[in-house]
Amino acid sequence: MFAHVDINNCYVSCERLFRPELEGKVVVVLSNNDGCVIARSNEAKAIGIKMADAEFIVRKNLKEHNAVIFSSNYPLYADMSARLMNNLARYTYTLMVYSIDEAFMALGNIQGIDLDKHAATISANVMRHTGLPITIGVGPTLSLAKLANKAAKKQKRPYLLLDTPEKIDETVLNFPIEDVWGVGLAYYNKLVERGIKTAHDFRQLKADFVRKQMTVQGWRLHQELWGKPCNVIRDVAERSKGIESSQSFNTYQTLLDPIEEAVAMHAATVALKLRQQNSMALMLTVYIRTNKHNVKHDQHYPSITVKIPVAANNTHQLTCVAVQALRAIWQPGYNYLKTGVRVTGIIPAGEVQFNLYNSYEHSREQKLSGLIDELNSRYGRGTLRMAAEGFDKKWVMKQEFLSPQYTTNWRQLITTK
């Protein structure tokens, strides 16, 4: 058996955890640059706020209902996510973190377990230890566990067990096909054309027909909905195929200097992520974007991918490569709104091929990056950084409603009277 666990209205729940007076009120969290709604409380859903609604479109509605608005506070959400995962790991031998707010747990290898009591214990203890409300779905396959989780939410239950064929049959009977995990827009359109509206309808299709029409992925989903496991929990994190850091500016940028600062910051971010997973990158891509929605402006979306001489993860080398790449594609006369850095060709740090001419310098740069990480870990991110990242940073994204980093910044701890 498997369990799927996720945080209810994750970002909103993280904000409410430190603002309990917001319980029962309309709360939304906005995306980068305060552009779109990316998390809603149940009260926000009830007044018609939809995911990805632009803030300026729903502003009047939010104001009429005295909504509380937050800019996204990713350091806070990531820290609360880590606390959740640490708690979940106590109740399983195998935990797969699927995203910042959800995870799969293997329960089949725990002897003599009472699934009902186990799910209730997890739900209660996670709330007690982290303050985060969660929903748990349990089923014989990952797909059914995920389906059980969604069904539990619709029934407003803390958990739902699909541990018998009768319970599975009853749950899938009217479960919308578009809510089934793995059914994207392309599959949905194809299925609807054939009159498939529910998970039950999908299960009635012939397996050979599903494999022919929906490839092996659709066939695996079909099998899983019949309770036959085809997907497995991976307890070893897979190495990323690419790492990207990007951000929109708070206003149009027409000069090279501020864009260089942003690119240097993104290069430092991807370098840090590479070091955290003990990897190095062989290729680096830099891109800049104008606002495609602003038809009054000339458009320019250049990008460039360069090969790094020797696979690297140190901040100094990646910053130099990224800034040089930017200078090759930047052109005056355009109003740039976004830039980003992406690294690919990622390999384990222990498999890098050095040569006689750069190994010494490389070692020095590695030690410097290690020192930067150590100091920033102790005194806060950005304490020590490359000068190319700038100091004034007038280009940073808009975050008018940003809450404090309650759990990751000593200066922003909650104070009591």
Side-chain angles (χ1 to χ4, degrees):
M1 297 295 283
F2 302 95
H4 174 259
V5 182
D6 72 355
I7 306 172
N8 301 339
N9 306 326
C10 177
Y11 296 168
V12 169
S13 295
C14 291
E15 299 289 355
R16 278 177 166 171
L17 183 60
F18 300 91
R19 296 277 305 277
E21 73 275 15
L22 300 182
E23 289 292 340
K25 294 186 177 180
V26 177
V27 180
V28 297
V29 177
L30 303 178
S31 62
N32 289 344
N33 256 337
D34 295 343
C36 303
V37 174
I38 57 171
R40 306 160 293 162
S41 65
N42 290 336
E43 294 78 10
K45 296 174 186 176
I47 65 170
I49 305 298
K50 296 183 172 56
M51 283 293 285
D53 273 348
E55 186 273 337
F56 71 90
I57 291 177
V58 297
R59 187 179 300 161
K60 183 179 178 183
N61 192 9
L62 292 173
K63 189 175 181 180
E64 288 175 351
H65 289 86
N66 297 317
V68 179
I69 303 172
F70 289 99
S71 302
S72 17
N73 186 343
Y74 295 116
L76 172 65
Y77 310 150
D79 184 64
M80 295 311 302
S81 171
R83 296 180 187 212
L84 169 69
M85 303 310 170
N86 286 335
N87 269 270
L88 294 180
R90 300 166 57 196
Y91 301 100
T92 180
Y93 294 113
T94 310
L95 175 75
M96 182 173 77
V97 179
Y98 189 66
S99 66
I100 191 171
D101 67 336
E102 59 183 324
F104 287 99
M105 305 165 66
L107 303 179
N109 52 0
I110 302 176
Q111 298 297 323
I113 185 174
D114 182 323
L115 287 175
D116 192 82
K117 289 184 178 178
H118 198 59
T121 300
I122 294 172
S123 178
N125 285 347
V126 166
M127 173 58 81
R128 184 181 302 118
H129 296 151
T130 68
L132 296 172
I134 61 171
T135 300
I136 304 172
V138 177
T141 66
L142 299 187
S143 298
L144 283 173
K146 182 102 173 174
L147 186 149
N149 189 306
K150 283 199 171 185
K153 281 191 171 70
K154 292 178 180 177
Q155 299 172 22
K156 299 184 178 178
R157 302 170 53 165
Y159 61 91
L160 177 63
L161 309 182
L162 298 183
D163 51 352
T164 66
E166 293 74 21
K167 289 182 181 178
I168 295 173
D169 292 343
E170 181 184 354
T171 305
V172 303
L173 185 61
N174 295 310
F175 194 89
I177 188 64
E178 63 268 31
D179 287 346
V180 174
W181 184 39
V183 176
L185 183 60
Y187 279 168
Y188 171 71
N189 291 334
K190 187 177 294 187
L191 291 170
V192 167
E193 286 179 2
R194 296 183 177 276
I196 308 300
K197 298 181 179 178
T198 67
H200 171 77
D201 296 339
F202 180 66
R203 291 209 310 172
Q204 304 313 309
L205 295 173
K206 300 283 187 184
D208 291 342
F209 172 82
V210 173
R211 183 154 192 163
K212 185 176 180 181
Q213 296 295 321
M214 300 174 64
T215 72
V216 70
Q217 295 299 328
W219 176 81
R220 285 175 179 168
L221 173 60
H222 186 262
Q223 296 295 297
E224 290 231 325
L225 291 182
W226 279 109
K228 302 173 183 176
C230 293
N231 297 313
V232 297
I233 288 183
R234 296 179 292 276
D235 57 353
V236 178
E238 292 184 343
R239 196 174 300 279
S240 303
K241 295 180 180 178
I243 297 175
E244 178 169 334
S245 176
S246 63
Q247 194 177 85
S248 297
F249 302 117
N250 61 351
T251 185
Y252 294 116
Q253 300 296 328
T254 57
L255 303 175
L256 179 60
D257 287 350
I259 302 177
E260 275 193 359
E261 291 180 1
V263 165
M265 184 196 71
H266 293 312
T269 299
V270 296
L272 174 61
K273 291 181 178 179
L274 284 169
R275 293 195 293 275
Q276 288 174 336
Q277 65 175 42
N278 198 29
S279 300
M280 294 196 180
L282 289 162
M283 309 294 289
L284 183 145
T285 300
V286 174
Y287 62 84
I288 43 181
R289 301 277 188 270
T290 51
N291 183 2
K292 64 180 181 181
H293 301 292
N294 192 333
V295 295
K296 297 179 180 177
H297 291 172
D298 294 333
Q299 301 298 313
H300 195 219
Y301 317 116
S303 68
I304 184 171
T305 299
V306 295
K307 187 176 186 305
I308 303 169
V310 175
N313 66 5
N314 69 78
T315 300
H316 176 261
Q317 188 174 359
L318 292 186
T319 300
C320 290
V321 171
V323 170
Q324 289 174 5
L326 170 68
R327 291 173 180 172
I329 59 174
W330 179 84
Q331 290 186 20
Y334 292 99
N335 298 295
Y336 293 108
L337 190 61
K338 182 177 182 178
T339 187
V341 173
R342 179 170 56 248
V343 288
T344 51
I346 295 174
I347 60 175
E351 297 180 6
V352 177
Q353 181 67 51
F354 295 108
N355 61 51
L356 291 174
Y357 303 103
N358 61 17
S359 58
Y360 175 68
E361 288 297 325
H362 186 81
S363 177
R364 286 177 52 187
E365 292 167 345
Q366 290 301 115
K367 290 178 180 177
L368 176 61
S369 293
L371 178 62
I372 292 174
D373 294 344
E374 184 177 341
L375 290 173
N376 287 343
S377 176
R378 181 180 302 175
Y379 299 108
R381 187 176 178 182
T383 301
L384 193 61
R385 60 183 184 272
M386 304 295 291
E389 296 180 45
F391 297 91
D392 197 10
K393 293 186 178 180
K394 294 180 179 178
W395 43 267
V396 295
M397 63 180 177
K398 185 169 64 174
Q399 290 181 303
E400 293 183 358
F401 313 104
L402 186 64
S403 58
Q405 296 172 19
Y406 299 104
T407 61
T408 57
N409 190 330
W410 287 105
R411 299 181 183 87
Q412 298 180 17
L413 289 175
I414 285 181
T415 57
T416 58
K417 295 181 180 177

